[in-house]
Amino acid sequence: MSLQNFTRKLVFFLLVISSSGMQAVFLDQHTFGSGISVQAIQQQVASLRCFSTTSAQQIVTRCRDAEIVITNKVELNAVILNQLPNLKLIC
């Protein structure tokens, strides 16, 4: 899937779940390359925090308040997911 198609689909999902007041975090933006724009995503959420990369030890801290987590390579296992009670969507 191209980055442009990914962004379009993600924005569509954000619209569907009425995310205007939601907190989002992008854990590994660097893995998508420098050409990706998050502007459309930012317009659909209350806040979007972007990190170039995220280590396993940083996941819970960075995602604790997030309702939406965007990731490409960062693995979210059951132990991590159980520590994220606000999480509603993983992209």
Side-chain angles (χ1 to χ4, degrees), residues 41-82:
I41 299 167
Q42 287 173 318
Q43 293 172 351
Q44 301 303 318
V45 296
S47 74
L48 173 64
R49 295 181 311 145
C50 296
F51 299 97
S52 180
T53 59
T54 298
S55 70
Q57 296 79 20
Q58 296 170 312
I59 297 170
V60 173
T61 302
R62 291 184 173 180
C63 297
R64 184 166 285 129
D65 298 324
E67 291 142 312
I68 301 167
V69 172
I70 305 165
T71 181
N72 183 31
K73 305 285 184 192
V74 176
E75 294 183 26
L76 304 173
N77 60 35
V79 173
I80 291 169
L81 294 175
N82 285 333

Side-chain angles (χ1 to χ4, degrees), residues 9-27:
K9 288 181 180 188
L10 179 55
V11 169
F12 172 77
F13 284 120
L14 294 175
L15 288 170
V16 168
I17 63 169
S18 301
S19 59
S20 61
M22 293 186 157
Q23 308 295 316
V25 61
F26 196 155
L27 293 178

